Amino acid sequence: MTQPLRLGIAGLGTVGVGVVKIVRQKADLLSARVGREVQITAVSARSRDKDRGVSLSGYAWEDDAVALARRDDVDVFVELMGGSEGAAREATEAALAAGKHVVTANKALLAHHGQSLAVLAEDNKAQLRFEAAVAGGIPVIKALTEGLAGNEIKQIVGVMNGTCNYILTRMENAGLTYDEAFAEADGLGYLEADPELDVGGIDAGHKLSILAAIAFGTQVNFDAVELEGIGCVAIEDIRHAADMGYKIKLLGVSRMTGRGLEQRMAPCLVPASSPLGQLEGGTNMVVIDGDQVGQIVLRGAGAGEGPTASAVMGDILDIARGIDLPVFGQPANELKQANGTQGATPAPYYLRMRLLDKPGALAKIATALGEAGISIHRMRQYDHDGETAPVLIVTHKCTRSDLKTALGAMEETGVMVGDPVALRIEEV
């Protein structure tokens, strides 16, 4: 094809500006790699007058993203507005219904509406690409849909939110409390406008649900993701984990079990010597286990102008080359509705609790665990703190449901003060 590929970009924030820069500054390189010119014809954003540090001269302006998506001189609608509803969804649906290709970095949109958008795209012979929606500059979507297409995926494990990894890393390296590390991340501009999207695991859960759909041939089902944020992690937990040779990470895990598809995003202990344990700061990492390739590790920048714009451009150039793939790696009408399951795979757990300092308190906790079928691997009681005593327990492997039963029984003993902390230990 010799005709230019014409882009309409909706959303001129950090990533949108990054895409504009690449198209303007690397025009000859892009053309050489795909055999045709890539050009921007029109853009849209909330404010026309904002200084974005890059010239938008020569581009048509649309106040309405839906109007941009329907323009005759736009071949690829690049959606970088964000959000699962409103303008982002309406404009994306309008573009696909018109048979236009869509490239997006919008993980929330795909996590909540991925199946319907995939059907709409494939019915209208349009491409829907979203490499930038998961793990920033790491090409994990391409790895799953193309490079590992000959594998049955056994498991996906990853650190997919750089802000959480930054907070946990700072707690460990600088001895900060959670609140102190949170405030530092906020001051650096790392947190979303709604911080719960980051620290509550929601942002990373969106990404996990997308990867699980591709890996296991299922429809995206974010509602089935078990979510737990990092707010429960205290500096004591960081130190106890280090004493045992572990690091604490907000870890996404997805695997197909005999009971259904397990999708979990929660703080976990991982071996300090593992690639995940050595991951510092805002970096992301995804570990994929395939039946043929074994384990591969993908590591890189999970956010930022350059890395995310790089992922957007990768999708745009695939479209320019004429590469045509189903949205989630296989036709949307063949994707299964997977039965969701929580905590189906047994694992050891780290438990931290505060007990009343009186005879028999610890015995009652041990009894509650034993009656739930959970044995204790190691236990440590720390120096008494007034009328209470901190206690640390590491269990042998158990299911999440058995642990919940035990925790419920512990509450009824009347010897616990406050809520216990329970973190899964993943040997990855």
Side-chain angles (χ1 to χ4, degrees), residues 305-422:
E305 178 183 306
T308 311
S310 169
V312 170
M313 286 307 305
D315 283 342
I316 291 170
L317 297 188
D318 271 356
I319 291 172
R321 292 183 177 112
I323 296 174
D324 189 355
L325 293 172
V327 175
F328 290 103
Q330 56 184 281
N333 59 9
E334 296 180 8
L335 297 174
K336 304 183 295 291
Q337 286 188 339
N339 293 323
T341 184
Q342 295 188 351
T345 307
Y349 281 84
Y350 159 99
L351 306 176
R352 176 176 59 83
M353 63 197 73
R354 189 171 292 277
L355 305 182
L356 292 175
D357 186 16
K358 64 180 185 180
L362 195 54
K364 290 182 178 181
I365 296 300
T367 298
L369 286 167
E371 290 179 347
I374 300 172
S375 59
I376 296 173
H377 174 59
R378 67 174 86 172
M379 179 168 57
R380 181 175 177 182
Q381 183 170 347
Y382 293 86
D383 293 337
H384 296 186
D385 180 13
E387 297 181 351
T388 63
V391 174
L392 171 65
I393 295 173
V394 176
T395 74
H396 284 288
K397 286 185 177 181
C398 64
T399 64
R400 182 69 182 180
S401 60
D402 286 344
L403 182 65
K404 289 177 70 174
T405 298
L407 292 174
M410 290 179 192
E411 291 180 5
E412 294 176 0
T413 63
V415 300
M416 278 203 314
V417 178
D419 295 327
V421 172

Side-chain angles (χ1 to χ4, degrees), residues 171-416:
M171 289 174 69
E172 178 186 5
N173 294 342
L176 302 179
T177 66
Y178 172 79
D179 288 339
E180 290 170 339
F182 179 97
E184 182 177 280
D186 192 26
L188 292 169
Y190 290 171
L191 288 163
E192 297 274 1
D194 177 3
E196 190 64 17
L197 292 173
D198 285 316
V199 298
I202 298 169
D203 166 87
H206 287 152
K207 300 170 186 176
L208 183 67
S209 68
I210 294 168
L211 293 183
I214 299 170
F216 302 108
T218 61
Q219 297 180 16
V220 180
N221 187 3
F222 171 69
D223 290 339
V225 179
E226 186 178 2
L227 292 176
E228 182 180 349
I230 64 171
C232 66
V233 179
I235 187 64
E236 303 98 292
D237 301 313
I238 299 284
R239 291 168 178 161
H240 297 332
D243 287 344
M244 296 187 294
Y246 290 95
K247 301 284 186 73
I248 297 178
K249 302 292 181 183
L250 179 67
L251 197 69
V253 179
S254 183
R255 56 173 72 95
M256 187 63 75
T257 74
R259 297 182 182 179
L261 180 61
E262 185 175 348
Q263 301 179 87
R264 177 169 29 84
M265 184 62 65
C268 296
L269 277 70
V270 300
S273 60
S274 69
L276 285 163
Q278 296 176 40
L279 193 67
E280 296 278 323
T283 310
N284 281 197
M285 180 178 288
V286 181
V287 181
I288 304 172
D289 287 299
D291 65 338
Q292 302 300 312
V293 75
Q295 186 179 92
I296 66 168
V297 179
L298 303 173
R299 177 185 183 277
E305 178 183 306
T308 311
S310 169
V312 170
M313 286 307 305
D315 283 342
I316 291 170
L317 297 188
D318 271 356
I319 291 172
R321 292 183 177 112
I323 296 174
D324 189 355
L325 293 172
V327 175
F328 290 103
Q330 56 184 281
N333 59 9
E334 296 180 8
L335 297 174
K336 304 183 295 291
Q337 286 188 339
N339 293 323
T341 184
Q342 295 188 351
T345 307
Y349 281 84
Y350 159 99
L351 306 176
R352 176 176 59 83
M353 63 197 73
R354 189 171 292 277
L355 305 182
L356 292 175
D357 186 16
K358 64 180 185 180
L362 195 54
K364 290 182 178 181
I365 296 300
T367 298
L369 286 167
E371 290 179 347
I374 300 172
S375 59
I376 296 173
H377 174 59
R378 67 174 86 172
M379 179 168 57
R380 181 175 177 182
Q381 183 170 347
Y382 293 86
D383 293 337
H384 296 186
D385 180 13
E387 297 181 351
T388 63
V391 174
L392 171 65
I393 295 173
V394 176
T395 74
H396 284 288
K397 286 185 177 181
C398 64
T399 64
R400 182 69 182 180
S401 60
D402 286 344
L403 182 65
K404 289 177 70 174
T405 298
L407 292 174
M410 290 179 192
E411 291 180 5
E412 294 176 0
T413 63
V415 300
M416 278 203 314

Side-chain angles (χ1 to χ4, degrees), residues 135-148:
I138 303 174
V140 63
I141 304 298
K142 183 177 283 289
L144 284 171
T145 56
E146 299 181 43
L148 301 179

Side-chain angles (χ1 to χ4, degrees), residues 7 40 49 52 96 105 113 117 173 269 320 384 412 420:
L7 312 180
I40 300 168
D49 300 325
R52 297 177 171 87
L96 294 174
H113 306 293
L117 291 174
N173 294 342
L269 277 70
H384 296 186
E412 294 176 0

